[in-house]
Amino acid sequence: MEKIRVGLFGFGRTGKIVANEFVKDNSFSLKWVVRKTHKDEHKFATDLLGFEFEEGEIFSVDEINGSFFKDKPVDIIVDFANSIAVNHYAKAAELGIKIISAISNYKEKDLETLSSLSSKTAVLYSPNITLGINFLLIASQILQKIAPHADIEIVEEHFREKQDISGTAKKLASVLNLDQEKHVNSIRVGGIVGKHDVIFGLPNQTIRLTHESISRAAFGQGATFAAKWLIDKPAGLYSMEYIITDKFKRNIPVY
Amino acid sequence: MEKIRVGLFGFGRTGKIVANEFVKDNSFSLKWVVRKTHKDEHKFATDLLGFEFEEGEIFSVDEINGSFFKDKPVDIIVDFANSIAVNHYAKAAELGIKIISAISNYKEKDLETLSSLSSKTAVLYSPNITLGINFLLIASQILQKIAPHADIEIVEEHFREKQDISGTAKKLASVLNLDQEKHVNSIRVGGIVGKHDVIFGLPNQTIRLTHESISRAAFGQGATFAAKWLIDKPAGLYSMEYIITDKFKRNIPVY
Amino acid sequence: MEKIRVGLFGFGRTGKIVANEFVKDNSFSLKWVVRKTHKDEHKFATDLLGFEFEEGEIFSVDEINGSFFKDKPVDIIVDFANSIAVNHYAKAAELGIKIISAISNYKEKDLETLSSLSSKTAVLYSPNITLGINFLLIASQILQKIAPHADIEIVEEHFREKQDISGTAKKLASVLNLDQEKHVNSIRVGGIVGKHDVIFGLPNQTIRLTHESISRAAFGQGATFAAKWLIDKPAGLYSMEYIITDKFKRNIPVY
Amino acid sequence: MEKIRVGLFGFGRTGKIVANEFVKDNSFSLKWVVRKTHKDEHKFATDLLGFEFEEGEIFSVDEINGSFFKDKPVDIIVDFANSIAVNHYAKAAELGIKIISAISNYKEKDLETLSSLSSKTAVLYSPNITLGINFLLIASQILQKIAPHADIEIVEEHFREKQDISGTAKKLASVLNLDQEKHVNSIRVGGIVGKHDVIFGLPNQTIRLTHESISRAAFGQGATFAAKWLIDKPAGLYSMEYIITDKFKRNIPVY
């Protein structure tokens, strides 16, 4: 099978980890990486990541001109950079290049841009692209419908320096219609990477759905998972939640 | 709304707890309880359970004659007794009385009896009727399809005296195609009522689905839940897994 | 060995469970039970608890006169009643009867009474007499000294109706010098009997000390444990924490 | 305060992480690193670890001659290499240099060497030097003495590739007199770094002591902790368990 050609925006702490996952996965060929600065320009991402072959040439965002996406064709763009990259999507979308964006700090107009491009190509937008977290989001909503009288509490644990309630906990509270002030409990201790626990309490039983992050590479694996799913989809606006609900629908066991 | 009239088979340790749940729930009226022995015959279950009103007259199984189900009409039979009761279902089924059986030690011919009666009335058979356990069964199967490369282990914890692997853990291993010898870990300590943990390990994240039993009343609540669902269903053979998959189908969120 | 003769104050929900533990334990003989009302007066606690022998005659508190403790001699008094019983301790203390009190709502003057009686007999006072909770209290304090830079958070889970932060969590926060408002997280869902988790977070590891209550009989077992310890002790004021620290001292392994 | 001068044996995967912890901690100055091969000879460990200053010159083991420890004086040797280094300890011990060894594959004669050197200098030997694990070891033994009737089970979770029962679980089973075949449960899934759970089951309560590793840097932090403790100790053979029991003794709260 032909490899899926990928262009990556972002080569910061998370971007590097994401690049690493795409390089490791034989289904993909990382064609290029675009970063904000000129650092490591024209080096290969694979060299910087310690691989023995050359893949993922690094370009500064300043080098993106009118013909960039034509000259260096890819099947899919993956964006872990920041809201700046969104302005370059239009040219890619016209060429039918699919787009995955995991940016969390979009403004209203950025989201409108994404939405309008989705008439031309398949666009997936998910600020939290981790597989397990999205499973928790969907499974929790279903369990709430099955057991509407259950009391629900969310516990999230992260490293001491993390400010605010985690975005994931906020999202969980929102889809479960829980008052975030009352029902989200934030634990901040030591170096915990990230743990989310949704507790359903019934009079005679308790059900816990728990997600523990081991490393940020989970983001990268979410992105490779999403890319494989998106590659054969028609134009439209998708999300990780959409993929997971779709997987739920197709995989409910038959009794 | 009119109350659902219930006849209960079994008034042992679990039977009493189940009776208690039906009496407490305003949607039901417990008409009678049938037990194997003559103990407490013609007393009221409610008296023995400490309620201030009379409901659930107790009969010995010997008193079930040709007209029992006509003289003491109910909408649904709930069976937490043992395999003996199954032989009395036929008369009830002919009258359209629905049947819920939670018996685990059925023989092949008992299951055939259940199956043949299901052409006449709605029959629900589930040896483990707890809501949360059935949620775990279904959610685990879906997650396995979403993350087929995940390693899966089952941990079950019970009180020290419990022999063998729990029936629930066996069922979980079976539906997940796991070798029970290798992937079920049984912890036997002290007085733990019952805990089941399905652990999904991915390279960068771990997902745990956990069910903890607080008391055996969870069986009773499973039975009331099943009875409310079954009461308006056509003839057919159902199970708790069937109900829960049905609830999954109807409640997948839309994105 | 001769049995320890026990007199119990209190025969409410917890009192009954405590009585049950003393009756079940062959080291003890339950001589009498004193309760506030006249209910079940002169019946035997064992009859009401379903045993086949007669032990623990029930008296109303009104029947305690000057010679009660002489006429019905015991080695130890166990009090799960309420602050009223404290006024009867003096007569018992004069006879050298030891006293265990697990009352949580004492006023200042009740505590003074206890303290003054401790010059005459061995008095143990612990509002939370559960073995495991006291282990957590001591082990947590030691771990905090070993790892002074660890971040510490307390999570306590209880049934939905429980008001306020649990007394145990308050005690844990107090001995660990944690601001209870910031570092105690209270989960209230369904029917959870009681769970306390002390989380120690270090940059590269997390240590959790967890106590889960299965039933209130844990109070009774704490009381039998304390009674066996107290029976040969000289006059003085003791607590469950004192016993457990003493056990720590005597049982630190030698390397 | 003057910095503690450290010489490190080993610069493999774990050795690098340990070096990193000593460099980050202001109480120490990493003088040199000795490795088996000639790779990166005479470079500085700090450069390879991404620090902006030069510390920890790298030497091949072949360069250790009669005057090495005199020419490049340190206060303490830390060994995360392998059993080869033990043969170089004698010269260091004669100079009063203290020794910390975390090697797990020692042979009988290596242990004898360590033991004989401990008459000349302070030697600490611990194959598992993690703080939290050693806390679990000691606290579990004490709890077993406090609650001798408790059932105890050990659950250890690690990444899928890990062979055999973890050394820590074996050690826990050994000090608790548990049959490792029966009472250690090994979970192997995905990328779990390492988790150990000691479960104490009593009839009415369960106590869990849990240690979770976030990263292998926990070994390095164990080594810095041990080095600070060992630096002012007289000649003798010590272990991490010895330190932790000592800390227990000094820190039992007074009631």
Side-chain angles (χ1 to χ4, degrees):
Chain A
M1 215 182 85
E2 230 161 307
K3 294 193 172 192
I4 301 170
R5 297 168 302 172
V6 174
L8 175 68
F9 280 87
F11 204 61
R13 189 172 159 203
T14 303
K16 272 178 188 143
I17 291 168
V18 172
N20 195 58
E21 294 302 314
F22 276 100
V23 173
K24 272 170 42 187
D25 189 325
N26 280 322
S27 311
F28 300 100
S29 165
L30 182 66
K31 287 297 170 192
W32 44 257
V33 174
V34 169
R35 67 189 307 179
K36 203 160 52 172
T37 67
H38 289 267
K39 203 182 163 200
D40 296 324
E41 214 169 357
H42 302 297
K43 290 186 183 170
F44 287 93
T46 48
D47 281 342
L48 300 173
L49 294 168
F51 289 91
E52 305 277 317
F53 54 93
E54 299 193 332
E55 214 180 273
E57 190 179 351
I58 295 172
F59 295 91
S60 154
V61 72
D62 299 341
E63 296 183 82
I64 303 191
N65 55 26
S67 66
F68 184 87
F69 297 113
K70 263 185 207 152
D71 298 347
K72 299 162 202 333
V74 294
D75 301 306
I76 199 159
I77 283 175
V78 174
D79 185 2
F80 276 83
N82 54 49
S83 60
I84 293 168
V86 72
N87 301 317
H88 298 287
Y89 290 173
K91 286 246 157 53
E94 267 161 35
L95 298 170
I97 297 173
K98 292 169 173 66
I99 298 167
I100 293 179
S101 167
I103 307 310
S104 55
N105 63 342
Y106 275 150
K107 302 211 174 97
E108 196 54 42
K109 87 174 160 41
D110 297 328
L111 294 169
E112 281 163 19
T113 303
L114 270 193
S115 179
S116 75
L117 297 180
S118 72
S119 63
K120 292 179 191 150
T121 190
V123 176
L124 183 140
Y125 172 61
S126 266
N128 189 333
I129 206 162
T130 310
L131 185 73
I133 286 297
N134 282 281
F135 174 81
L136 240 67
L137 272 171
I138 308 305
S140 293
Q141 290 177 75
I142 296 173
L143 182 49
Q144 188 180 39
K145 296 282 188 183
I146 293 176
H149 301 307
D151 305 310
I152 311 178
E153 289 277 317
I154 296 164
V155 181
E156 54 108 346
E157 303 181 0
H158 285 89
F159 47 95
R160 130 199 292 183
E161 294 82 7
K162 187 175 174 69
Q163 306 284 332
D164 299 335
I165 297 178
S166 78
T168 295
K170 287 180 186 169
K171 186 78 165 278
L172 280 163
S174 160
V175 298
L176 296 170
N177 285 314
L178 299 175
D179 179 344
Q180 166 181 312
E181 296 300 314
K182 279 191 194 161
H183 298 292
V184 175
N185 305 271
S186 295
I187 308 292
R188 293 288 172 271
V189 295
I192 292 177
V193 180
K195 184 174 170 184
H196 289 88
D197 208 356
V198 191
I199 308 173
F200 289 79
L202 290 161
N204 305 300
Q205 57 193 310
T206 311
I207 300 151
R208 295 172 200 261
L209 309 183
T210 308
H211 179 270
E212 293 164 273
S213 293
I214 297 169
S215 92
R216 298 164 73 90
F219 296 130
Q221 295 220 315
T224 61
F225 180 88
K228 286 171 192 172
W229 185 91
L230 194 67
I231 198 63
D232 62 2
K233 294 297 174 295
L237 188 56
Y238 305 96
S239 65
M240 199 66 176
E241 290 101 317
Y242 180 93
I243 302 183
I244 300 295
T245 52
D246 185 67
K247 297 263 179 190
F248 264 75
K249 271 179 216 155
R250 292 172 192 278
N251 291 299
I252 291 176
V254 177
Y255 279 95
Chain B
M1 214 182 83
E2 227 161 306
K3 293 191 174 195
I4 301 170
R5 297 168 302 172
V6 174
L8 175 68
F9 280 87
F11 204 61
R13 188 172 159 204
T14 303
K16 272 178 189 143
I17 290 168
V18 172
N20 197 57
E21 295 301 315
F22 276 101
V23 172
K24 271 168 42 186
D25 188 326
N26 280 324
S27 310
F28 299 99
S29 164
L30 182 66
K31 288 297 168 192
W32 44 258
V33 174
V34 169
R35 66 191 307 180
K36 202 160 55 173
T37 68
H38 289 267
K39 203 183 162 198
D40 296 324
E41 213 169 358
H42 302 297
K43 290 186 182 170
F44 287 93
T46 47
D47 281 342
L48 300 172
L49 294 168
F51 290 91
E52 305 277 318
F53 55 93
E54 298 191 333
E55 213 180 271
E57 191 178 352
I58 294 172
F59 296 90
S60 154
V61 73
D62 299 341
E63 295 183 83
I64 303 192
N65 54 25
S67 65
F68 184 86
F69 297 114
K70 264 186 205 152
D71 298 347
K72 298 161 203 332
V74 293
D75 301 305
I76 199 159
I77 283 175
V78 175
D79 185 0
F80 276 81
N82 54 49
S83 60
I84 293 168
V86 74
N87 301 316
H88 298 287
Y89 291 173
K91 286 247 158 53
E94 267 162 35
L95 297 170
I97 298 174
K98 290 167 175 65
I99 299 167
I100 292 178
S101 167
I103 307 309
S104 56
N105 64 342
Y106 274 150
K107 303 214 173 93
E108 195 55 41
K109 87 173 162 40
D110 297 328
L111 293 170
E112 281 163 19
T113 304
L114 269 193
S115 180
S116 75
L117 296 179
S118 71
S119 63
K120 291 180 190 149
T121 190
V123 177
L124 183 139
Y125 171 60
S126 267
N128 190 333
I129 206 161
T130 311
L131 186 72
I133 286 296
N134 282 282
F135 174 81
L136 241 66
L137 273 171
I138 308 306
S140 293
Q141 289 176 77
I142 295 174
L143 182 50
Q144 188 180 37
K145 296 282 188 184
I146 293 176
H149 301 306
D151 306 309
I152 310 179
E153 289 277 317
I154 296 163
V155 181
E156 55 108 346
E157 303 182 359
H158 285 90
F159 46 96
R160 123 198 300 181
E161 294 80 9
K162 186 172 176 70
Q163 306 285 330
D164 299 336
I165 296 178
S166 77
T168 294
K170 286 179 185 170
K171 187 77 165 279
L172 280 163
S174 161
V175 298
L176 296 171
N177 285 313
L178 299 175
D179 179 344
Q180 166 182 313
E181 295 301 313
K182 280 192 196 160
H183 298 292
V184 175
N185 305 272
S186 296
I187 308 292
R188 293 289 172 272
V189 295
I192 291 177
V193 179
K195 182 173 171 184
H196 288 88
D197 208 356
V198 191
I199 308 172
F200 290 79
L202 291 161
N204 305 302
Q205 56 192 310
T206 312
I207 299 151
R208 296 171 197 264
L209 309 182
T210 308
H211 179 270
E212 292 165 273
S213 293
I214 297 168
S215 94
R216 297 164 73 91
F219 297 129
Q221 296 219 316
T224 60
F225 179 88
K228 287 172 193 171
W229 184 91
L230 194 67
I231 199 63
D232 62 2
K233 293 295 172 298
L237 188 55
Y238 306 96
S239 66
M240 199 66 176
E241 289 100 318
Y242 180 93
I243 302 183
I244 300 295
T245 51
D246 186 67
K247 297 263 179 190
F248 264 74
K249 272 178 217 157
R250 294 173 191 278
N251 291 299
I252 290 176
V254 177
Y255 279 96
Chain C
M1 216 183 84
E2 228 161 305
K3 293 193 173 193
I4 301 169
R5 298 167 301 172
V6 174
L8 175 67
F9 280 86
F11 204 61
R13 189 173 159 204
T14 303
K16 272 178 188 143
I17 291 168
V18 172
N20 196 58
E21 295 301 315
F22 276 99
V23 173
K24 272 169 41 186
D25 189 326
N26 280 323
S27 310
F28 299 99
S29 165
L30 182 65
K31 287 298 168 190
W32 45 258
V33 174
V34 169
R35 66 190 308 179
K36 202 160 55 172
T37 68
H38 289 266
K39 201 182 166 201
D40 297 323
E41 213 168 358
H42 302 297
K43 290 186 183 170
F44 288 92
T46 47
D47 281 342
L48 300 172
L49 293 168
F51 289 90
E52 305 278 316
F53 55 92
E54 298 193 332
E55 215 181 271
E57 190 178 352
I58 294 171
F59 296 91
S60 154
V61 73
D62 299 341
E63 295 183 82
I64 303 192
N65 55 26
S67 66
F68 184 87
F69 297 113
K70 265 184 204 151
D71 299 347
K72 300 162 202 334
V74 293
D75 302 305
I76 199 160
I77 284 174
V78 175
D79 185 1
F80 276 82
N82 54 48
S83 60
I84 293 167
V86 74
N87 302 316
H88 298 287
Y89 291 172
K91 286 246 158 53
E94 266 162 35
L95 298 170
I97 298 173
K98 291 168 175 66
I99 299 166
I100 292 179
S101 167
I103 307 311
S104 55
N105 64 342
Y106 275 150
K107 301 210 174 99
E108 196 54 43
K109 89 173 160 41
D110 297 328
L111 294 170
E112 282 163 18
T113 304
L114 269 193
S115 180
S116 75
L117 297 179
S118 71
S119 63
K120 292 179 190 151
T121 190
V123 176
L124 183 140
Y125 171 60
S126 268
N128 189 333
I129 207 161
T130 310
L131 186 72
I133 286 297
N134 282 281
F135 174 81
L136 240 66
L137 273 171
I138 308 306
S140 294
Q141 289 176 75
I142 295 173
L143 182 50
Q144 187 180 38
K145 296 282 187 182
I146 293 177
H149 301 307
D151 306 310
I152 311 178
E153 289 277 316
I154 296 163
V155 181
E156 55 107 347
E157 303 181 0
H158 285 90
F159 47 95
R160 131 200 291 184
E161 294 82 6
K162 186 173 175 69
Q163 305 285 332
D164 298 335
I165 297 179
S166 78
T168 294
K170 286 179 187 171
K171 187 76 164 281
L172 280 163
S174 160
V175 299
L176 296 171
N177 285 313
L178 298 175
D179 179 343
Q180 165 182 313
E181 295 301 314
K182 281 190 194 161
H183 298 292
V184 174
N185 305 272
S186 295
I187 308 291
R188 293 290 172 269
V189 295
I192 291 177
V193 180
K195 184 173 171 185
H196 289 88
D197 208 356
V198 191
I199 308 173
F200 289 79
L202 290 162
N204 304 300
Q205 56 192 311
T206 310
I207 299 151
R208 296 173 198 261
L209 309 183
T210 309
H211 179 270
E212 293 165 273
S213 293
I214 297 168
S215 93
R216 298 165 72 91
F219 297 130
Q221 295 220 316
T224 61
F225 180 88
K228 287 171 193 172
W229 185 90
L230 194 67
I231 198 64
D232 62 3
K233 293 296 172 296
L237 189 55
Y238 305 96
S239 65
M240 200 66 176
E241 289 100 317
Y242 180 93
I243 302 183
I244 301 295
T245 52
D246 186 67
K247 297 263 179 190
F248 264 74
K249 273 178 215 157
R250 292 171 192 280
N251 291 299
I252 291 176
V254 178
Y255 279 95
Chain D
M1 214 183 85
E2 228 161 304
K3 293 192 174 193
I4 301 170
R5 296 167 303 171
V6 174
L8 175 68
F9 280 86
F11 204 61
R13 188 171 159 204
T14 302
K16 271 177 190 144
I17 291 168
V18 171
N20 196 57
E21 294 302 315
F22 276 100
V23 172
K24 271 170 43 186
D25 189 325
N26 280 323
S27 310
F28 299 99
S29 164
L30 182 66
K31 288 297 168 191
W32 44 258
V33 174
V34 170
R35 66 190 308 180
K36 205 162 50 174
T37 67
H38 289 266
K39 203 184 163 197
D40 296 324
E41 213 169 358
H42 302 296
K43 290 187 183 169
F44 287 92
T46 46
D47 281 342
L48 300 172
L49 294 168
F51 290 90
E52 305 278 318
F53 55 94
E54 298 192 335
E55 213 181 270
E57 190 178 353
I58 295 172
F59 296 91
S60 155
V61 73
D62 298 341
E63 296 182 83
I64 303 192
N65 55 26
S67 65
F68 184 87
F69 296 115
K70 263 184 206 154
D71 299 346
K72 298 161 201 335
V74 294
D75 301 306
I76 199 159
I77 284 175
V78 175
D79 185 0
F80 276 83
N82 54 48
S83 61
I84 293 169
V86 73
N87 301 316
H88 298 287
Y89 291 174
K91 286 246 159 54
E94 267 162 35
L95 298 170
I97 298 173
K98 290 167 175 65
I99 299 167
I100 293 179
S101 167
I103 308 309
S104 55
N105 64 342
Y106 275 149
K107 302 214 173 94
E108 195 55 42
K109 89 173 158 42
D110 297 327
L111 293 169
E112 281 163 18
T113 303
L114 269 193
S115 180
S116 76
L117 296 179
S118 71
S119 63
K120 292 179 191 148
T121 190
V123 177
L124 184 140
Y125 172 60
S126 268
N128 189 331
I129 206 163
T130 309
L131 186 73
I133 286 296
N134 281 281
F135 174 81
L136 240 66
L137 273 171
I138 307 306
S140 293
Q141 289 176 76
I142 295 174
L143 182 50
Q144 188 180 38
K145 295 284 188 183
I146 293 177
H149 301 305
D151 305 310
I152 311 178
E153 289 276 317
I154 296 163
V155 181
E156 54 108 347
E157 303 181 358
H158 285 89
F159 47 96
R160 130 201 292 184
E161 293 82 7
K162 187 174 175 68
Q163 306 285 332
D164 298 336
I165 297 178
S166 77
T168 295
K170 286 179 186 170
K171 186 79 165 277
L172 280 163
S174 161
V175 298
L176 296 170
N177 285 313
L178 299 176
D179 180 344
Q180 166 182 314
E181 295 301 313
K182 281 192 194 160
H183 298 293
V184 174
N185 305 272
S186 295
I187 308 292
R188 293 289 172 270
V189 295
I192 291 177
V193 179
K195 184 173 171 184
H196 288 88
D197 207 356
V198 190
I199 309 173
F200 290 79
L202 290 162
N204 305 301
Q205 56 193 309
T206 311
I207 299 151
R208 296 171 198 263
L209 308 183
T210 309
H211 180 271
E212 293 164 272
S213 293
I214 297 168
S215 92
R216 297 163 74 90
F219 295 129
Q221 296 220 315
T224 60
F225 179 87
K228 287 171 192 172
W229 185 91
L230 194 67
I231 198 63
D232 61 2
K233 294 296 173 295
L237 188 55
Y238 305 96
S239 65
M240 199 66 175
E241 289 100 319
Y242 181 93
I243 302 183
I244 300 296
T245 51
D246 185 68
K247 298 262 180 191
F248 264 75
K249 272 179 215 154
R250 293 172 191 277
N251 291 299
I252 291 176
V254 177
Y255 280 95

